[in-house]
Amino acid sequence: MEHEHVDAVVIGMGPGGETVAGRLLAAGRRVAVVERELIGGECGYWACIPTKVLLRPPEVEQEARGAAGLSRPDLEWSGLREYRDRMIRHLDDSAQVRGYQDQGALVLRGPGRLTGRDPWRVAVGGAELTADHVVVATGSEPVRPPVEGLEELDSSVVWTNREATTLTDVPGRALVVGGSAVGVELGQFLARTGSAVTVVQRGPRLVDREEPRLCELISDQFGRDGITVRLSTQVSSVARGGEGVEAVLDSGERVRTDVVVLATGRRPRTDCLGLAEAGVELDRSALVVDERCRAAPGLWGVGDATGRAMFTHVAKYQGRVVADNILGRGRVADYTAVPRVIFSHPEIAGVGITADQAREQGIDTVTAEVDLPRSLARPWTYDTDPRGTLGLVADRGRGVLVGAWAFAPMASEWIHTAALAIRTGLPVAALIDSMPQFPTFNEAYLIALEELDL
């Protein structure tokens, strides 16, 4: 068996792993990168990038309806599909492999496994490496709900995010199981490209980790989009029926569909890594890490594998933290004010904690909500029939924001005003004394802040 010593082995080359590897290589370290599929990971090929590419044209088509004096554009599916394929590199990462090799990295294909420690040893295929540091960045996998008959159906009719984001043709009917971010985005995309969509949500609300008002707003939007929503409902069984699938809900309702889209969450992917055998602590399948993203001396965790907030931007942040620690620039991770965005239309954005969470923490909570078209010029310059809402959650005693949420165009961009304010503890008084550009959606903060009863 081949043996080689490197400064660091990065197992899993999604955005988090790439962040670590890139920074260590730039600092002159000898790095081995291990990837069992494609460099770029889930985000680049089957999640963030293709999803946002697919969502944009239907969004533009919808925006055109509201723009004065503009003819409605036609959605050309073949052109969108071709651009999606370009953006996911036709599922080919050969250019990325060459790029890392050109930077001096050792690129290894296949699943990596820890085979020892002191020093850490990693086996990949027929190669075994020793390393001062090992970074686990193996991402996550979709959760398959316990639905009778589901395992008897193949991926032509049961889609995870992978099949949904690499689809060749838009199905005539789609049953989306799950009403959080993935379910909302995929459900709206399919509906706006011609599918008859039913969304089944186990809990009483869509996007149930956010403010209840957001559920009301997105539910209203789904009604406008012609999407059928079944709340407090589960799929009991699925079976082949005719040319598609027949699903039976626990309410007794039967839904005929061409595809079942699973959007029921994700779990950290750490199996087959040899972590438990190496004496490394796991919380179910999540790698347990400390405030420096360290699981053990010389062993680090990044991204979804750690089970922390499972977002690409968190993985990249953790990658920066880990790289700094490996390079001797001691750094602690701080997960205050992580933005959360659902790229629906209009967009859903949140940061910090909800009003209910604030009260549960004993915070003297004060809230404000602003209907944007009633208060701002920008919604009217953006759309002839505008809608949008901003909500704020503040700590009366400290005079600072602790949460914010929005349902409005481009909320993914301007939620960061609240994110920065919450992360830095910027006083509401300082925010009120700011001068937002006119006309912008960001002006809504000033109006909402002035409505806070502090």
Side-chain angles (χ1 to χ4, degrees):
M1 181 178 284
E2 178 187 343
H3 290 267
E4 183 170 350
H5 184 81
V6 295
D7 296 313
V9 177
V10 180
I11 307 176
M13 286 294 285
E18 287 206 86
T19 298
V20 178
R23 288 176 176 245
L24 295 182
L25 288 166
R29 299 299 194 267
R30 176 65 170 154
V31 178
V33 301
V34 179
E35 177 52 56
R36 70 177 194 172
E37 292 186 291
L38 296 170
I39 291 176
E42 197 80 20
C43 173
Y45 298 94
W46 301 287
C48 318
I49 297 302
T51 302
K52 280 51 182 179
V53 167
L54 291 170
L55 287 167
R56 180 59 181 151
E59 179 182 67
V60 172
E61 184 183 37
Q62 189 72 20
E63 289 175 348
R65 297 185 187 188
L70 186 65
S71 298
R72 180 179 170 186
D74 293 324
L75 179 64
E76 184 196 359
W77 170 240
S78 61
L80 171 53
R81 185 175 59 199
E82 179 182 338
Y83 184 64
R84 184 272 318 274
D85 290 342
R86 284 171 51 198
M87 287 297 292
I88 63 173
R89 307 162 185 157
H90 299 276
L91 300 181
D92 176 6
D93 68 347
S94 54
Q96 285 62 46
V97 171
R98 289 193 301 271
Y100 279 105
Q101 290 172 335
D102 289 346
Q103 294 177 69
L106 178 63
V107 179
L108 298 175
R109 288 289 198 189
R113 181 177 176 83
L114 296 178
T115 55
R117 57 191 297 176
D118 303 321
W120 292 104
R121 294 194 298 278
V122 177
V124 186
E128 186 172 63
L129 306 171
T130 60
D132 299 325
H133 300 276
V134 173
V135 181
V136 175
T138 46
S140 60
E141 59 192 4
V143 172
R144 296 180 73 87
V147 175
E148 181 185 341
L150 191 64
E151 296 307 318
E152 279 92 64
L153 301 179
D154 62 29
S155 61
S156 67
V157 291
V158 176
W159 290 0
T160 65
N161 64 289
R162 290 199 171 195
E163 291 79 18
T165 56
T166 56
L167 80 171
T168 302
D169 295 299
V170 177
R173 302 165 297 179
L175 173 63
V176 179
V177 185
S180 293
V182 174
V184 167
E185 290 182 356
L186 292 178
Q188 194 176 56
F189 161 72
L190 290 168
R192 290 190 171 181
T193 50
S195 287
V197 175
T198 299
V199 175
V200 175
Q201 167 72 330
R202 179 179 182 178
R205 301 196 310 267
L206 298 173
V207 294
D208 54 8
R209 295 184 180 180
E210 301 295 343
E211 286 284 351
R213 277 287 286 136
L214 281 173
C215 171
E216 298 174 19
L217 293 165
I218 192 61
S219 294
D220 174 71
Q221 180 60 53
F222 270 19
R224 293 168 181 251
D225 291 329
I227 298 172
T228 299
V229 178
R230 296 287 181 260
L231 300 175
S232 300
T233 303
Q234 298 184 65
V235 179
S236 297
S237 66
V238 291
R240 280 282 191 179
E243 296 182 358
V245 174
E246 181 172 87
V248 179
L249 310 185
D250 59 6
S251 62
E253 180 182 356
R254 294 177 180 269
V255 178
R256 293 186 180 277
T257 184
D258 296 306
V259 295
V260 177
V261 182
L262 301 181
T264 46
R266 302 183 67 85
R267 66 165 60 92
R269 183 195 288 126
T270 57
D271 58 327
C272 302
L273 286 174
L275 292 167
E277 295 86 340
V280 177
E281 184 182 359
L282 295 172
D283 179 6
R284 289 174 287 184
S285 64
L287 180 64
V288 177
V289 297
D290 65 12
E291 70 279 1
R292 297 181 186 274
C293 300
R294 179 176 54 192
L299 182 69
W300 310 85
V302 163
D304 287 6
T306 68
R308 297 292 175 97
M310 293 167 76
F311 301 114
T312 292
H313 45 294
V314 172
K316 295 174 75 170
Y317 171 73
Q318 289 176 318
R320 297 192 293 273
V321 170
V322 166
D324 279 351
N325 280 308
I326 290 175
L327 294 171
R329 311 167 188 150
R331 184 172 178 182
V332 171
D334 178 1
Y335 301 100
T336 303
V338 175
R340 308 177 299 273
V341 173
I342 300 174
F343 288 83
S344 55
H345 181 255
E347 292 179 345
I348 296 169
V351 66
I353 57 178
T354 66
D356 287 343
Q357 289 168 339
R359 295 183 191 104
E360 288 168 4
Q361 294 179 23
I363 294 172
D364 183 7
T365 305
V366 58
T367 64
E369 181 179 321
V370 173
D371 183 288
L372 304 189
R374 293 181 182 177
S375 309
L376 299 180
R378 179 54 175 151
W380 293 97
T381 66
Y382 190 88
D383 197 306
T384 57
D385 181 24
R387 284 170 296 127
T389 309
L390 170 67
L392 299 181
V393 183
D395 180 333
R396 192 194 310 270
R398 293 169 52 220
V400 296
L401 293 182
V402 294
W405 57 270
F407 182 71
M410 298 186 289
S412 58
E413 303 293 338
W414 49 273
I415 194 64
H416 292 88
T417 295
L420 188 59
I422 294 168
R423 189 169 180 85
T424 60
L426 188 65
V428 167
L431 286 166
I432 287 178
D433 195 40
S434 65
M435 291 176 284
Q437 169 70 40
F438 176 87
T440 61
F441 288 103
N442 210 71
E443 281 187 284
Y445 285 107
L446 190 58
I447 296 163
L449 288 163
E450 290 178 339
E451 289 190 6
L452 287 172
D453 182 17
L454 293 176

